[in-house]
Amino acid sequence: MTGQAMSKRDGAAEHKQPQWFTGGPVLHRFLLEMTASEGALRAMATASSPPSEKDSETMLDFLSDQLVSVGYTGDWEEPNEKGRKIEALIDVFNDLIPED
């Protein structure tokens, strides 16, 4: 085993959380679920080195789209549970982009 694939959980391969990912294991598993069918984004989520600024921006675009799609209930006032997790992921990738 390469260290990336560790076990099967809920039908999906479990991956080791990269050191650069500051969101913790629960949030990393959520990221893996969200990017399961997104090849390049999934590779970014499991890479041992942090994503580039451009790749972080690509992930932020994806996460923003997901937040709008599934992150709110009908009233659009407060994010639902998924939305709060997506917002936390946005914070993780936002922190990877250097400030101007």
Side-chain angles (χ1 to χ4, degrees):
M1 218 176 266
T2 65
Q4 290 286 341
M6 297 183 71
S7 66
K8 293 268 185 181
R9 184 175 183 157
D10 298 331
E14 190 71 26
H15 291 271
K16 183 178 176 185
Q17 176 185 317
Q19 288 185 351
W20 61 264
F21 186 83
T22 60
V26 172
L27 200 54
H28 189 254
R29 280 191 299 274
F30 181 68
L31 177 62
L32 294 178
E33 291 171 15
M34 292 197 61
T35 59
S37 63
E38 305 292 327
L41 296 177
R42 177 59 171 242
M44 186 189 317
T46 59
S48 59
S49 59
S52 67
E53 182 175 347
K54 181 181 177 187
D55 287 344
S56 293
E57 289 173 354
T58 300
M59 181 66 83
L60 286 168
D61 288 343
F62 169 76
L63 293 170
S64 296
D65 289 345
Q66 293 301 304
L67 182 60
V68 171
S69 296
V70 299
Y72 287 91
T73 56
D75 63 10
W76 290 89
E77 289 186 27
E78 291 290 323
N80 58 29
E81 182 180 348
K82 268 189 176 178
R84 288 187 295 276
K85 287 180 181 178
I86 294 169
E87 286 179 337
L89 287 171
I90 288 171
D91 290 342
V92 168
F93 284 92
N94 225 4
D95 288 346
L96 295 171
I97 298 175
E99 293 183 28
D100 290 335

